[in-house]
Amino acid sequence: GLPRGRIAVLVGRPGAGKTGLAIQIAASVAQRHPEVAIGLYLADEGLEAGVIRMAQHLGFDREHLEAAEPGAIQGAAEALEGHRGRIHCMDPDAEDASLEAFLDGMATRADGRPQLWVIDSAQVVRLASAASKKLDRRLTVDAVCRMVKAAARRRGAVALLLSQSNRGSYRAKKEDDQADPLSSGAETAQLEHMADLFLFLSPDGED
């Protein structure tokens, strides 16, 4: 299963299904384990897409949400927040959105209960602590990995961190010419070294 107090990294090329799989796992946990507090920080996908994906797994009408009726997304987000599992979807476009704000907010919402986080992706989430340091992308990913792993360990949380793989893992048509999956985390080796569980998603030609 997914280890508590550890970090699980889902890696794959764009469109490989990383976000879909992570949200499916989170929705399953919400349905089976109502005592777990779930947090989604989908900086890559955005609040609307994340809410629609999660809500449909929990029985909401997807067509109604996708019709973009006034207040539909906000209403669904509030309903998820009040769901048995207290599912929090952070708005990545909010002015104060950051990984630190997300983790602090989850600590308050969980109130000592088990937690599961979906953080998408390591390359895109905003770090408040990096704003003044102007870290390059590789160092930012390193900092994200360290922060998520430390917080998961302290709180006994399950952390699902998503990352785009480097192009060497899928550019070549022949599988033998592709980069090794374990070393495919984009920008940094921290992903493979800091992950307790490393899942490489590689869809076949039929997807």
Side-chain angles (χ1 to χ4, degrees), residues 75-88:
E78 291 172 0
L80 290 175
E81 189 86 41
H83 189 268
R84 290 179 307 165
R86 292 189 69 189
I87 303 163
H88 173 59

